[in-house]
Amino acid sequence: MTPVNPPPLDRTSPPQLTHAWRELAATLADGVRVRVLRAVYGDPRAAAELVPRLTGRQATGLDPLPTDPAELAPSLLRERRAQIRTLPDSTRLLLLLAAADQYPVPTDAFLRAVMAARLDTRSLDAAEAAGIAHASAGGVVFRDAWARIAAYETGSPADRRDVHRLLARVLGGAGETPWRSWHRGAGAPGPSGRLAAELGTAARKAATAGRLPLARALTERAAALCPEPSEQARLLSRAAAYAWRAGDGERARRLAAAGSEDALAGVLALRAGNAGEAFDALVSAVVRVGAAGPGAGGAGSFGSAGAGIGAVEGGESAAGGAGAGPVPAEGGPGPGSPTTDGGAGSAAVSAEADPGAGPRQAGAVPGGGTPPSAADSDGDLPASPVAEGEDRARPTGAAADRASLSTVRTPPGPAAAPAGAAPVASAAVVAPASAPAPAQSAALAVPPTPPAAVVSPASAPRAAVATPAPTPPVVAPAPTTSVTVAPAPTTSAIVTPRTPAPATHLLARATEAAIYTGDLRRLREAARVADRLGVVSPGTLGGLVAAFEGRYEDARELLEAAAGRCGPGGDPTVLIHAGIAALLLGDHTRAATATLRAAASARARGTPVTVPQAMEFRAYADFWTGRPRAGEAAAADALWQAHATGQDNGACHLQAALAMFSALTGDADLCHERAASARSYALARGLGLPAALAQWALAYLDLSSGRFAAAAARLRALAGFGPGHGHRAIRHLAAPHYVEAAVRTGDTRVARVAHADYHRWASAVRSPDDLALSARCRALLAPGAEAVDHYRVALDLHSHGTRDFERARTELLFGSTLRRLRSRTEARDRLHSALEAFDSFGAPHCAAQARSELRALGTPAGPTRTGPDTPTGRLTAQQLLVARMAAEGATNREIADRLALSPRTIDHHLRGVFSRLGIRSRIELVRLIAEVDESGGGTTG
């Protein structure tokens, strides 16, 4: 059964309560507002109840929100409990069984349990009459999440344990071990080291299969059962890592506070705290893990869990990361939701033997820990959120049903394995914690090979999971073994890392923290730590250090090597760093490819937390290539995901990117609002990258609106900002705009200095777009007719690049120069070409500048006409004319001669045609034009 609850708004949230929530929501930060709704399953009534109960730190996002349902909406839960207590005992028992099967780990065993216990499902009629739940072909559908939670809580502790044991007994399939282990643990009356070990093993296997919400629930229950305090703290840290990777940032922060893992604390600070503090914590973790040697990878609380210290956010560890096959992302409203914790329809895990009551498996946690309350051990479970002071009396009058729950037996199977039976080895078994972990490949280039498990399609029943192919035993390398990795073609040295993957991933996180701050000193420190410990650093780290120190040739080689690791199916961390490196090199096609693949890989591995991280850097490529509307939509979606997963630092970066899109599309009010929001948040947390990007957005808005003095002042201030307030990479990217603004205000000395450094970089990286912008800067600085040749060089270089928007801006500046030099015909061509491009990009401010220049020539420049709703209707009249000539077989030179335009202008028109029609070749253009003509949908413009 796949439990799907109906939307709760109609029956639980009257209009006045929805309005009350909207008023309260306006007082919350964006991220807190998104996470409050997510925590209460989208119910405005519960949200309106929760907000007034938040502390000041919770309301501002400094402290995590409550995760216990009893703390989220106590009044609503009391109402649901009261309704359920009026039902017959037999009905309540069935609802308890259904709730235990769905919450917080959906196990799809309700119908089997009903048949095994010989329960009468006609008792559910009373629940349907009361509007609490109703029977369906798959089982029980509750009115809302609160009804399901209340149905569970109103059961007595003994009855809850009984139903969990029943569900564990009927889950006898070979691929159902994690779910069976969950119910065995939930049915335990008190602490048990053996059950804690079983749950830990099941959690690792679930994580390997990409079921991170399930792995989190199993590990959290293992911690509750563990009698040893030190091991309990490690288990809580491991559960926090699973929760974080699954996208449940609020629970991850709460669990991390109770755990003992500094590395995870550094990652959480990186995503939602002070970036400088995050860097310090992560570098300390790199030192600790790297100094421990290769064997440390499997011993840490992350490594032994399959999460990997450095794989907290989607990277893999030597102990076994996600990536056993195509696994759907486990989205939805977080733990406790019927859609989050590995429900039906998701990819099945590898077949494995049930640990049962057998000996502790390799990598299993030893027993030990502080026992729960002696009065009611279930009361401390995440799965048993019983509100304090509530009546938890056992249902009376259902003795026969209770007897059937406690006495039913199933045929012997994997669940009934003898206590002494040795567990069967499978592809998901993790090496013992004491075994050394294999070394990671150079610069995060090659992720660990995923387990050779056969994963069934998402639609396959869980019991029909294919057994994984036999695999040879995993032999851990000796600590002194080194791995020789072939470098990228642009590098000349062979790297032989001697440290485990966790240290490498932690260094990647530390690099990201330094990138956020824009602090060169921190980048150098990370590089020194990597050299001292022999940790293979990501290419972005060495490349940025070299670039900021002016060693541009070295920087290019290192960044080229990093950018080259953008193949499909790779580790999301590697792909994100490849995208960053490609952006720095001006290769926006490769940057877009790498970041999209990073997002896809993260979804496939069940780690949605990484998706908005990839989209942060995808936004740059969308901006430069002239896709503001599509880029803005993608960034807005990523912004919501960042808020929902507790990544407010990433959300700040995306907010700054959205300000840049607003500047391009000419929405001044929205640009100022977004930039102010991003800068306010960024400056409070030392995030130099989004702070600088927001400042650049405001400067670009001024520049495109003709306010050159204001733009120059903003960009000059950006150049002077230090770490945490500005960023040298953004200052470098904005250099061509700074040159333009400075020249327009007569400050050529500053413009020449800015251009000189930019030209050195462009010459080193040899990016066509960077070289084109450098030529444009030289044209702006050249007197009179000398500028013309520089503009022609710039446009030639633009034709080989991807920055279509900057190409249009170069044409605008060139046309303006030609007008002043009285070259009226070519000036008109250039300005018309720029105007059409700006109209297609949706950049009205720049289009207004082009129209102003055309009016100065005495040439009318009315609004772009729109055609009918056909493919060719998306083209301007001139684009359609060029497209038809090209479809008839004319070359660019022939079209230019017929229309008295230059071949470069024709080339630009065709690029616009291909972009608007979504095609890539003249063959597709011929076919499309023919189809339109046959349908009678053509237009003459």
Side-chain angles (χ1 to χ4, degrees):
M1 172 184 69
T2 302
V4 179
N5 293 325
L9 300 183
D10 294 339
R11 305 181 67 175
T12 64
S13 299
Q16 64 271 22
L17 290 173
T18 301
H19 179 69
W21 155 244
R22 288 174 181 167
E23 290 183 345
L24 289 168
T27 65
L28 300 174
D30 291 342
V32 178
R33 182 168 61 249
V34 170
R35 292 193 290 276
V36 162
L37 272 179
R38 194 173 188 230
V40 298
Y41 313 106
D43 188 343
R45 177 179 176 179
E49 182 180 353
L50 173 60
V51 172
R53 303 176 64 251
L54 296 177
T55 67
R57 289 179 61 84
Q58 287 175 329
T60 56
L62 296 175
D63 286 345
L65 298 174
T67 54
D68 188 334
E71 299 178 23
L72 294 172
S75 299
L76 186 54
L77 275 176
R78 278 195 297 270
E79 179 184 314
R80 293 287 184 268
R81 292 190 200 102
Q83 293 171 341
I84 290 174
R85 287 195 184 96
T86 65
L87 299 175
D89 291 343
S90 57
T91 303
R92 293 169 61 189
L93 194 60
L94 281 171
L95 292 178
L96 172 61
L97 179 62
D101 182 52
Q102 298 178 22
Y103 170 76
V105 177
T107 52
D108 308 334
F110 174 77
L111 295 179
R112 282 182 277 171
V114 165
M115 290 187 291
R118 296 183 175 85
L119 300 178
D120 188 353
T121 56
R122 287 176 295 183
S123 299
L124 288 172
D125 292 344
E128 185 169 0
I132 297 297
H134 67 272
S136 70
V140 175
V141 178
F142 286 93
R143 170 183 177 177
D144 54 31
W146 310 109
R148 186 197 65 232
I149 295 168
Y152 187 88
E153 291 183 349
T154 52
S156 69
D159 279 343
R160 292 203 300 269
R161 288 193 291 268
D162 284 345
V163 298
H164 280 299
R165 289 166 183 159
L166 170 61
L167 290 165
R169 285 194 291 271
V170 300
L171 285 165
E176 296 179 322
T177 296
W179 294 269
R180 182 167 61 250
S181 296
W182 161 255
H183 285 297
R184 282 168 54 80
S192 169
R194 178 178 55 78
L195 277 176
E198 178 184 330
L199 288 164
T201 300
R204 285 194 293 276
K205 294 177 180 178
T208 300
R211 299 180 181 278
L212 295 171
L214 173 60
R216 189 275 307 163
L218 289 165
T219 308
E220 198 171 344
R221 182 54 179 157
L225 294 177
C226 184
E228 185 180 323
S230 61
E231 191 61 38
Q232 189 177 54
R234 293 205 333 165
L235 285 167
L236 288 172
S237 294
R238 192 177 303 163
Y242 288 142
W244 177 255
R245 292 175 61 202
D248 190 354
E250 299 300 296
R251 186 176 291 271
R253 291 168 67 190
R254 282 190 169 274
L255 290 170
S260 61
E261 184 53 64
D262 293 337
L264 178 58
V267 169
L268 295 179
L270 168 62
R271 301 304 176 193
N274 185 280
E277 295 174 1
F279 176 87
D280 295 339
L282 289 164
V283 169
S284 296
V286 171
V287 172
R288 185 176 63 256
V289 175
S301 63
F302 293 175
S304 59
I309 288 182
V312 178
E313 298 176 87
E316 298 173 12
S317 74
V327 183
E330 306 266 11
S337 164
T339 62
T340 51
D341 290 304
S346 57
V349 296
S350 307
E352 61 229 350
D354 178 21
R360 188 173 299 126
Q361 295 188 24
V365 295
T370 304
S373 168
D376 180 14
S377 62
D378 284 0
D380 293 333
L381 274 91
S384 309
V386 181
E388 213 175 309
E390 288 292 330
D391 177 19
R392 296 182 292 177
R394 189 185 183 95
T396 58
D401 290 336
R402 288 198 301 272
S404 65
L405 288 176
S406 59
T407 59
V408 65
R409 295 291 182 268
T410 55
V424 179
S426 72
V429 173
V430 182
S434 60
Q440 177 72 353
S441 57
L444 295 174
V446 184
T449 303
V454 179
V455 182
S456 65
S459 59
R462 187 178 296 143
V465 180
T467 304
T471 56
V474 177
V475 180
T480 56
T481 303
S482 63
V483 180
T484 301
V485 181
T490 54
T491 60
S492 58
I494 294 180
V495 182
T496 55
R498 295 177 177 269
T499 50
T504 307
H505 278 286
L506 281 172
L507 187 63
R509 300 284 89 82
T511 301
E512 291 162 23
I515 290 173
Y516 267 155
T517 64
D519 192 342
L520 174 58
R521 180 187 60 82
R522 294 184 185 277
L523 285 166
R524 287 170 173 161
E525 180 183 345
R528 285 196 298 268
V529 168
D531 289 342
R532 185 171 72 250
L533 297 176
V535 177
V536 177
S537 62
T540 48
L541 174 58
L544 281 168
V545 171
F548 290 165
E549 292 177 347
R551 296 182 287 109
Y552 291 159
E553 292 291 342
D554 294 341
R556 180 183 60 79
E557 291 186 5
L558 290 165
L559 292 172
E560 278 286 357
R565 301 179 180 115
C566 60
D571 185 322
T573 295
V574 177
L575 290 167
I576 289 174
H577 279 256
I580 295 171
L583 284 172
L584 293 170
L585 292 169
D587 190 342
H588 301 98
T589 300
R590 192 155 52 169
T593 299
T595 49
L596 283 178
R597 285 175 174 172
S601 179
R603 294 187 187 99
R605 295 163 188 249
T607 55
V609 72
T610 312
V611 174
Q613 297 166 24
M615 299 310 292
E616 287 180 51
F617 297 97
R618 170 61 194 266
Y620 288 89
D622 286 335
F623 175 83
W624 284 120
T625 52
R627 302 176 65 250
R629 297 303 181 190
E632 186 174 26
D637 180 64
L639 176 66
W640 183 91
Q641 294 179 63
H643 281 318
T645 54
Q647 302 184 79
D648 288 345
N649 287 358
C652 174
H653 192 193
L654 287 161
Q655 189 78 275
L658 286 168
M660 200 71 183
F661 284 120
S662 297
L664 191 151
T665 56
D667 193 335
D669 292 340
L670 188 57
C671 177
H672 280 280
E673 178 184 340
R674 286 169 167 172
S677 174
R679 281 189 61 79
S680 174
Y681 181 96
L683 295 178
R685 290 164 176 78
L687 304 175
L689 180 60
L693 183 58
Q695 179 80 350
W696 185 15
L698 294 173
Y700 187 82
L701 179 66
D702 289 333
L703 184 66
S704 61
S705 302
R707 297 188 294 270
F708 303 116
R714 291 188 189 278
L715 292 171
R716 188 161 49 248
L718 175 61
F721 286 151
H725 293 75
H727 202 283
R728 293 184 64 174
I730 296 297
R731 185 182 72 184
H732 168 79
L733 291 172
H737 295 159
Y738 188 17
V739 170
E740 181 180 348
V743 168
R744 294 296 188 100
T745 57
D747 194 352
T748 56
R749 184 187 62 82
V750 170
R752 291 183 189 282
V753 172
H755 170 248
D757 187 63
Y758 187 86
H759 180 69
R760 280 189 59 227
W761 171 257
S763 300
V765 300
R766 297 191 288 276
S767 161
D769 284 309
D770 286 322
L771 289 169
L773 291 173
S774 177
R776 186 175 86 188
C777 291
R778 187 173 281 110
L780 286 165
L781 290 164
E786 291 182 21
V788 172
D789 290 338
H790 294 307
Y791 276 122
R792 295 193 192 283
V793 170
L795 288 173
D796 280 337
L797 289 165
H798 273 308
S799 67
H800 300 289
T802 57
R803 294 190 192 178
D804 292 341
F805 190 84
E806 287 301 322
R807 173 187 173 127
R809 189 150 189 88
T810 300
E811 285 197 300
L812 170 62
L813 294 170
F814 188 19
S816 177
T817 298
L818 290 169
R819 179 185 64 79
R820 292 193 300 272
L821 293 174
R822 302 185 183 279
S823 297
R824 298 176 59 85
T825 300
E826 188 176 1
R828 183 176 61 250
D829 292 344
R830 294 298 179 191
L831 292 171
H832 271 301
S833 179
L835 175 59
E836 290 171 6
F838 291 139
D839 281 338
S840 69
F841 297 149
H845 286 9
C846 293
Q849 290 182 346
R851 288 190 175 93
S852 177
E853 291 288 342
L854 284 168
R855 284 194 296 270
L857 277 172
T859 302
T864 303
R865 288 175 291 175
T866 58
D869 188 17
T870 63
T872 55
R874 306 170 198 159
L875 306 178
T876 65
Q878 196 162 23
Q879 283 177 329
L880 180 59
L881 186 59
V882 171
R884 288 190 176 282
M885 290 182 178
E888 293 168 358
T891 65
N892 285 13
R893 173 68 66 180
E894 292 169 342
I895 298 172
D897 292 341
R898 294 183 198 177
L899 298 180
L901 297 174
S902 69
R904 294 189 187 90
T905 300
I906 301 304
D907 175 65
H908 178 72
H909 283 321
L910 280 176
R911 287 165 66 95
V913 168
F914 284 14
S915 175
R916 290 193 178 196
L917 299 182
I919 59 177
R920 297 185 177 183
S921 68
R922 290 197 178 212
I923 295 176
E924 292 177 83
L925 177 63
V926 171
R927 183 169 60 248
L928 190 147
I929 294 292
E931 290 173 355
V932 170
D933 290 343
E934 289 174 1
S935 65
T939 177
T940 61

